[in-house]
Amino acid sequence: AIAESHTTRTRPRAHRTPRDRPSSATEPAIETHLARCMRAADRVRDGVRRVLPASCSVHDFPMLVSRAVLFSPRERASSTRGATRCVSGFSHGVRAWQVGCQAGTTRARVSNVPNPTRGFTSLSRWVNPNAAAFQHAPVGTATKVVSFRKSQSIAGEPGRLFPHKRHQPLRGNRPSRQYATKIRNYFGKDDVAIGKAVAYCEGGVPKLAVVTSAPFRRLLQVTDGDGTADKVELKHVLNVFECVFPSVSVDSRTGVNCAFDLSTNAGKRSFEARFGGQLKKATELARHWVDEDEKGNGAALRQAWEKALSKQSDALPSPQYETTENSDGSLVRIPSGGNPPVAAEALAAGFPFFAEKTTGVDETEQERFAASYAAHVLLSSKNGVTFFSPHSKGRFSARSGKDVEIMSARSDEQDKENEQRREAWRVVRDAIDLPSSRKPAKETFVESCNLESRDGATADLQTESQTAAKLHITRSIQSMEAYALGSGRYTQGQLACAKQALQKLGMRSSEKSARDCLVSIGRWDGYEDLSWRRWEIPVGFEPRVDLYAEGLASGTVTAPPDLDKDTRKDLTRLTAYAIDGRDTQEIDDAIGAEATADGKVRVWIHVADASRWSPVAEDAGLYDAGVYSNILDASARQRGASAYAPDGTVPMFPFAIAGRDGPMSLGPTGVDKCALSITAVVNTDNGEVTEYWIGPSVVRVTHAVTEQEALSMLRSEEESGHENEGPLSLLKRVANALRKTRMENGAVLIDLPESVCVVRRNTPTIDSDELVLSDEDSEDGSDDGSEDASGDSSDDSSSDSSSFSNRGERAANAVRDRERQFLDVKLFVAEKPTDIPQIVSEMMILAGNLVGKFGEANGLALPYRGQNAASTRNQPETEKGLAVAGVPTEIAKRGQMRGAFVTTKPAKHAGLGLDTYVQVTSPIRRYLDLVAHAQIKQFLRRQNGACEKTLPFDEPSLKALLDDVNEVVSDLRSATRDATNFWQTYWFAMAGFGKTHRAVISKWARKEQRVAVGFLTETGIERTVKLAPVETATKRRARIGDFVTLAVKEADPFDNALVFEAVSLEQR
């Protein structure tokens, strides 16, 4: 308590109460000991405050040491190098502390911290700063130390005598403080000073500079021999040399070095005379020594190494020891087994081309400085590290003969590997120079990244065909891919690797250069849509997934057992229409209808039974020699849904099993397929559903048609008359009744033109590959002579010649120019929906409503979809009491809609006008539809007595699954949106900046700044535009519903930049 903080003066003995005195019932020896210690504490209370430094903390001496030294006169204080016995008295404690400092111990830690009882514990030993913390005694272990609150405490309150127990330290103690005095293995602030020369490396090149200012925050400002300023971290300084040539001028008035200003000619001459010339001479000498040694194949270093070993053997020194740290933090001294490290200048005399001149004192000092730096550079060179082992602070030690052999062998291996890498980079540079029609395949430089083969076995990365050079190129290409995706999508290691690769190829270090490089070597297409990569959406499937899907489709892999085989209804007699687009691959629904005797209509909705081929995880088993049947389910859960981009589809299941002819799909026509069928009897007068049924079935699609073909069939049925209504006519009557009922229940219909973007990549013909290169391309192919030679040099990464820096960019532009000839991008507004899309939509909504009612009636946990009622805050803007009709009104209605949500309990869907709704009609394209199928089928099995297993998901597990899948689907939608924006921007860029586009002002984005949202009537897209310039030019105020003519101001698909400017304004 005395040493822990500032204290007050002790009360005189006469003012002490009997309670303060120790009881006579205690042991006499202890009482005498306590009284003597308390008197000693009173005497040294003020003395401690005078001895303690102002900056001393609770972790430093003597605050903590005093607890052991002052009041434990017979305790031993031990250290790693010696021990001393502490006796009573403060002076002996200070002496013990000094002994510990001489032994390498600068402070101590104890086993506990001050506690409210103000008790003291003994310090069992001194703790080295590099050693482990003091091992604490178990909590609750009583000690023989008693409380000394008999002496006045910090607040001046009298204490009581009671036994003390050791306790755990505070959790706030920082273990790192025990390393505060750890010895540095690099040069510190005290080792460098203004006027000294420092050696360091920059880009693998040794450099020598003079210190021009004191270190600040471990940064050292230096100037090299050419007068170029630089900053070096202290830990990167390899060696320090004394610059005594000529003596640095000192200002007699201030006693400091005279400063020089390099911005003036006088300052430059002063620096050249004092430092610059000698720094250049030392650098030239070092380069000369390295060249001479390389010419002799390391003969100079070998001779110096032999001399160093002979001197070591002649001296027969005592064994050298090294101090190592154990896992528990203790320090152990072991024989080093090698020669002691010495300074580089001490080894310089062993070089055969070193000769010390004695023509003058100044000249000798200058030569010694140059020789010291040259020796440092030579010892740090490639041949130098073979014979000498580098140590901290510019010291080196001669290696043993066995170590030299090992290092030589490693050096030879490294030379071979470097040669292989240079050859591999030469191949990459040759790929850049190839014509745009002759680029390598996309997998040429990343063959080693395919970790799995087609048979599912893991490929070995260290095979003979995949050398270290190929792996190096693979990692570099993959790092450039991550770098090209943009910030936040690569690690610091990938960033460094990508920049190094770009420098080796002579390209600028930027994300655009990385993208151009990947295009120029054929890794990416010229117009590569990076949306899927940025959102980490897997485009392809793993080889084992493709293998399993192909096996199911061909029958070579045993399919999962059909658990509903005995209960499936045979509905192959029914007429079923599968209405999809011409390019649609996933046929997952079909519809049909038939009239009943009472004038009602029975409709049929057949949905592909995807869970029969891809059971969810709870239904999966092990089949066919280790191939899991749930491998498809795991892949589908990872994707969440299928994505439809302008340039293609990213499916949830492989097309081998889910395509038009796959076993999971309902196509082709005339083939029996497993399905989950939903039937209902609908009263077409009021849209009421009188009965419905849900269950597994076997169906056969009779008509696989497009919308136009189905519309033609509908028109033919309508012309035949009401007496002979066909299935499509009945479906239309039901659809109209269901829509009318939903609208009466508050459903919201938004009638906006739909924008459609379609991208087709035409296959180049043989003649188109023989395109004549432009002059620019031919120049690219003729520059690889000298530039390739420079690229193979060791310092090619630092070179940035103008003739080579744009080669990758020019090659990438040539690829894009050729690719545009085969890209067919269309952007247009879809036609008004006909009766067929409305029929299909109403049937799908009916199926979801019936499944929702089924789940609600039976208490099933299903992915129910809900939507709250529309908001009334964003009403359509009115003018003179009349709402603006058309696009602005529909956009305003869309803005009032609330977002949909998915829950495990039934919820109202206000947008559809339904009390409950579950999406079940697309299990091939939506994973939650697949989960709903699995839940319903398992419930039906239990109801029929065919299975007693529980449902695949209960409510908590289903909720967790919904959260995971919804997050994945959100990313999928974002990637799809970005992909659409990419190709839309490409279309406007190809259309040209001079083309104008007509748009209607649909709403205000920022009305105060006159920024509105324009709906382009030609393409159906929406973009913001500033109207202030055109309003100023036309002297008219724009309003909602006015038409404005827009021109493209900026269109860059790679940066997702599409900016329009208003050209003219036309009021409605």
PDB file of all heavy atoms in Angstrom, residues 561-569 609 612 674 696 698 941 946:
ATOM      1  N   PRO A 561     -34.209 -43.498 -54.446  1.00  0.00           N
ATOM      2  CA  PRO A 561     -35.476 -44.262 -54.491  1.00  0.00           C
ATOM      3  C   PRO A 561     -36.670 -43.319 -54.515  1.00  0.00           C
ATOM      4  O   PRO A 561     -36.678 -42.270 -53.866  1.00  0.00           O
ATOM      5  CB  PRO A 561     -35.423 -45.096 -53.211  1.00  0.00           C
ATOM      6  CG  PRO A 561     -34.511 -44.343 -52.304  1.00  0.00           C
ATOM      7  CD  PRO A 561     -33.487 -43.702 -53.179  1.00  0.00           C
ATOM      8  N   ASP A 562     -37.665 -43.685 -55.277  1.00  0.00           N
ATOM      9  CA  ASP A 562     -38.912 -42.914 -55.360  1.00  0.00           C
ATOM     10  C   ASP A 562     -39.802 -43.326 -54.193  1.00  0.00           C
ATOM     11  O   ASP A 562     -40.470 -44.365 -54.230  1.00  0.00           O
ATOM     12  CB  ASP A 562     -39.601 -43.168 -56.696  1.00  0.00           C
ATOM     13  CG  ASP A 562     -40.830 -42.283 -56.893  1.00  0.00           C
ATOM     14  OD1 ASP A 562     -41.058 -41.403 -56.033  1.00  0.00           O
ATOM     15  OD2 ASP A 562     -41.542 -42.474 -57.886  1.00  0.00           O
ATOM     16  N   LEU A 563     -39.828 -42.506 -53.154  1.00  0.00           N
ATOM     17  CA  LEU A 563     -40.601 -42.835 -51.956  1.00  0.00           C
ATOM     18  C   LEU A 563     -42.103 -42.715 -52.191  1.00  0.00           C
ATOM     19  O   LEU A 563     -42.884 -43.187 -51.354  1.00  0.00           O
ATOM     20  CB  LEU A 563     -40.176 -41.914 -50.812  1.00  0.00           C
ATOM     21  CG  LEU A 563     -38.688 -41.942 -50.445  1.00  0.00           C
ATOM     22  CD1 LEU A 563     -38.397 -40.974 -49.306  1.00  0.00           C
ATOM     23  CD2 LEU A 563     -38.243 -43.340 -50.085  1.00  0.00           C
ATOM     24  N   ASP A 564     -42.519 -42.091 -53.275  1.00  0.00           N
ATOM     25  CA  ASP A 564     -43.949 -41.930 -53.557  1.00  0.00           C
ATOM     26  C   ASP A 564     -44.408 -42.816 -54.710  1.00  0.00           C
ATOM     27  O   ASP A 564     -45.444 -42.544 -55.329  1.00  0.00           O
ATOM     28  CB  ASP A 564     -44.240 -40.467 -53.905  1.00  0.00           C
ATOM     29  CG  ASP A 564     -43.798 -39.520 -52.817  1.00  0.00           C
ATOM     30  OD1 ASP A 564     -44.285 -39.646 -51.686  1.00  0.00           O
ATOM     31  OD2 ASP A 564     -42.925 -38.655 -53.097  1.00  0.00           O
ATOM     32  N   LYS A 565     -43.648 -43.832 -55.004  1.00  0.00           N
ATOM     33  CA  LYS A 565     -43.950 -44.669 -56.162  1.00  0.00           C
ATOM     34  C   LYS A 565     -45.320 -45.323 -56.035  1.00  0.00           C
ATOM     35  O   LYS A 565     -46.080 -45.418 -57.012  1.00  0.00           O
ATOM     36  CB  LYS A 565     -42.854 -45.721 -56.314  1.00  0.00           C
ATOM     37  CG  LYS A 565     -43.049 -46.639 -57.510  1.00  0.00           C
ATOM     38  CD  LYS A 565     -41.911 -47.635 -57.624  1.00  0.00           C
ATOM     39  CE  LYS A 565     -42.102 -48.543 -58.830  1.00  0.00           C
ATOM     40  NZ  LYS A 565     -40.978 -49.526 -58.947  1.00  0.00           N
ATOM     41  N   ASP A 566     -45.692 -45.775 -54.830  1.00  0.00           N
ATOM     42  CA  ASP A 566     -46.953 -46.497 -54.645  1.00  0.00           C
ATOM     43  C   ASP A 566     -48.155 -45.579 -54.586  1.00  0.00           C
ATOM     44  O   ASP A 566     -49.298 -46.039 -54.752  1.00  0.00           O
ATOM     45  CB  ASP A 566     -46.890 -47.344 -53.375  1.00  0.00           C
ATOM     46  CG  ASP A 566     -45.779 -48.391 -53.439  1.00  0.00           C
ATOM     47  OD1 ASP A 566     -45.438 -48.801 -54.569  1.00  0.00           O
ATOM     48  OD2 ASP A 566     -45.253 -48.775 -52.373  1.00  0.00           O
ATOM     49  N   THR A 567     -47.938 -44.303 -54.340  1.00  0.00           N
ATOM     50  CA  THR A 567     -49.071 -43.386 -54.172  1.00  0.00           C
ATOM     51  C   THR A 567     -49.220 -42.399 -55.323  1.00  0.00           C
ATOM     52  O   THR A 567     -50.111 -41.543 -55.280  1.00  0.00           O
ATOM     53  CB  THR A 567     -48.906 -42.600 -52.858  1.00  0.00           C
ATOM     54  OG1 THR A 567     -47.662 -41.891 -52.884  1.00  0.00           O
ATOM     55  CG2 THR A 567     -48.949 -43.536 -51.665  1.00  0.00           C
ATOM     56  N   ARG A 568     -48.380 -42.470 -56.333  1.00  0.00           N
ATOM     57  CA  ARG A 568     -48.489 -41.542 -57.457  1.00  0.00           C
ATOM     58  C   ARG A 568     -49.722 -41.882 -58.308  1.00  0.00           C
ATOM     59  O   ARG A 568     -49.961 -43.048 -58.642  1.00  0.00           O
ATOM     60  CB  ARG A 568     -47.239 -41.599 -58.338  1.00  0.00           C
ATOM     61  CG  ARG A 568     -46.006 -41.009 -57.700  1.00  0.00           C
ATOM     62  CD  ARG A 568     -44.872 -40.881 -58.700  1.00  0.00           C
ATOM     63  NE  ARG A 568     -43.665 -40.391 -58.058  1.00  0.00           N
ATOM     64  CZ  ARG A 568     -43.397 -39.103 -57.855  1.00  0.00           C
ATOM     65  NH1 ARG A 568     -44.271 -38.190 -58.275  1.00  0.00           N
ATOM     66  NH2 ARG A 568     -42.286 -38.736 -57.260  1.00  0.00           N
ATOM     67  N   LYS A 569     -50.457 -40.827 -58.665  1.00  0.00           N
ATOM     68  CA  LYS A 569     -51.623 -41.021 -59.525  1.00  0.00           C
ATOM     69  C   LYS A 569     -51.194 -40.937 -60.987  1.00  0.00           C
ATOM     70  O   LYS A 569     -50.378 -40.091 -61.353  1.00  0.00           O
ATOM     71  CB  LYS A 569     -52.672 -39.951 -59.242  1.00  0.00           C
ATOM     72  CG  LYS A 569     -53.448 -40.175 -57.962  1.00  0.00           C
ATOM     73  CD  LYS A 569     -54.635 -39.228 -57.874  1.00  0.00           C
ATOM     74  CE  LYS A 569     -55.481 -39.559 -56.654  1.00  0.00           C
ATOM     75  NZ  LYS A 569     -56.686 -38.689 -56.574  1.00  0.00           N
ATOM     76  N   ASP A 609     -41.524 -32.728 -60.306  1.00  0.00           N
ATOM     77  CA  ASP A 609     -41.160 -33.241 -58.981  1.00  0.00           C
ATOM     78  C   ASP A 609     -39.632 -33.285 -58.885  1.00  0.00           C
ATOM     79  O   ASP A 609     -39.001 -34.346 -58.993  1.00  0.00           O
ATOM     80  CB  ASP A 609     -41.772 -34.623 -58.779  1.00  0.00           C
ATOM     81  CG  ASP A 609     -41.661 -35.079 -57.324  1.00  0.00           C
ATOM     82  OD1 ASP A 609     -41.096 -34.314 -56.515  1.00  0.00           O
ATOM     83  OD2 ASP A 609     -42.132 -36.186 -57.018  1.00  0.00           O
ATOM     84  N   ARG A 612     -37.795 -35.488 -56.230  1.00  0.00           N
ATOM     85  CA  ARG A 612     -37.646 -36.928 -56.445  1.00  0.00           C
ATOM     86  C   ARG A 612     -36.232 -37.256 -56.910  1.00  0.00           C
ATOM     87  O   ARG A 612     -35.694 -38.311 -56.607  1.00  0.00           O
ATOM     88  CB  ARG A 612     -38.693 -37.375 -57.480  1.00  0.00           C
ATOM     89  CG  ARG A 612     -38.665 -38.885 -57.758  1.00  0.00           C
ATOM     90  CD  ARG A 612     -37.970 -39.161 -59.076  1.00  0.00           C
ATOM     91  NE  ARG A 612     -37.929 -40.565 -59.384  1.00  0.00           N
ATOM     92  CZ  ARG A 612     -36.994 -41.421 -58.973  1.00  0.00           C
ATOM     93  NH1 ARG A 612     -36.041 -40.977 -58.157  1.00  0.00           N
ATOM     94  NH2 ARG A 612     -36.997 -42.683 -59.329  1.00  0.00           N
ATOM     95  N   CYS A 674     -42.398 -37.657 -63.481  1.00  0.00           N
ATOM     96  CA  CYS A 674     -42.905 -37.497 -62.120  1.00  0.00           C
ATOM     97  C   CYS A 674     -43.241 -36.035 -61.870  1.00  0.00           C
ATOM     98  O   CYS A 674     -42.484 -35.135 -62.268  1.00  0.00           O
ATOM     99  CB  CYS A 674     -41.888 -37.987 -61.108  1.00  0.00           C
ATOM    100  SG  CYS A 674     -41.519 -39.746 -61.211  1.00  0.00           S
ATOM    101  N   PRO A 696     -48.610 -36.413 -55.374  1.00  0.00           N
ATOM    102  CA  PRO A 696     -47.657 -36.833 -56.411  1.00  0.00           C
ATOM    103  C   PRO A 696     -48.381 -37.547 -57.541  1.00  0.00           C
ATOM    104  O   PRO A 696     -49.416 -38.195 -57.346  1.00  0.00           O
ATOM    105  CB  PRO A 696     -46.707 -37.768 -55.656  1.00  0.00           C
ATOM    106  CG  PRO A 696     -47.511 -38.276 -54.509  1.00  0.00           C
ATOM    107  CD  PRO A 696     -48.463 -37.177 -54.121  1.00  0.00           C
ATOM    108  N   VAL A 698     -47.950 -38.937 -62.042  1.00  0.00           N
ATOM    109  CA  VAL A 698     -47.191 -39.192 -63.256  1.00  0.00           C
ATOM    110  C   VAL A 698     -47.966 -38.538 -64.400  1.00  0.00           C
ATOM    111  O   VAL A 698     -49.148 -38.847 -64.608  1.00  0.00           O
ATOM    112  CB  VAL A 698     -47.002 -40.692 -63.530  1.00  0.00           C
ATOM    113  CG1 VAL A 698     -46.239 -40.907 -64.832  1.00  0.00           C
ATOM    114  CG2 VAL A 698     -46.268 -41.355 -62.379  1.00  0.00           C
ATOM    115  N   ARG A 941     -46.914 -38.556 -47.042  1.00  0.00           N
ATOM    116  CA  ARG A 941     -46.477 -39.921 -46.750  1.00  0.00           C
ATOM    117  C   ARG A 941     -46.892 -40.324 -45.337  1.00  0.00           C
ATOM    118  O   ARG A 941     -47.355 -41.443 -45.113  1.00  0.00           O
ATOM    119  CB  ARG A 941     -44.967 -40.037 -46.911  1.00  0.00           C
ATOM    120  CG  ARG A 941     -44.450 -39.818 -48.318  1.00  0.00           C
ATOM    121  CD  ARG A 941     -42.977 -40.117 -48.422  1.00  0.00           C
ATOM    122  NE  ARG A 941     -42.381 -39.499 -49.600  1.00  0.00           N
ATOM    123  CZ  ARG A 941     -41.529 -38.493 -49.573  1.00  0.00           C
ATOM    124  NH1 ARG A 941     -41.140 -37.997 -48.410  1.00  0.00           N
ATOM    125  NH2 ARG A 941     -41.059 -37.982 -50.688  1.00  0.00           N
ATOM    126  N   ALA A 946     -47.296 -44.322 -45.224  1.00  0.00           N
ATOM    127  CA  ALA A 946     -46.172 -44.896 -45.969  1.00  0.00           C
ATOM    128  C   ALA A 946     -44.836 -44.615 -45.314  1.00  0.00           C
ATOM    129  O   ALA A 946     -43.854 -45.289 -45.611  1.00  0.00           O
ATOM    130  CB  ALA A 946     -46.163 -44.332 -47.400  1.00  0.00           C
TER     131      ALA A 946
END
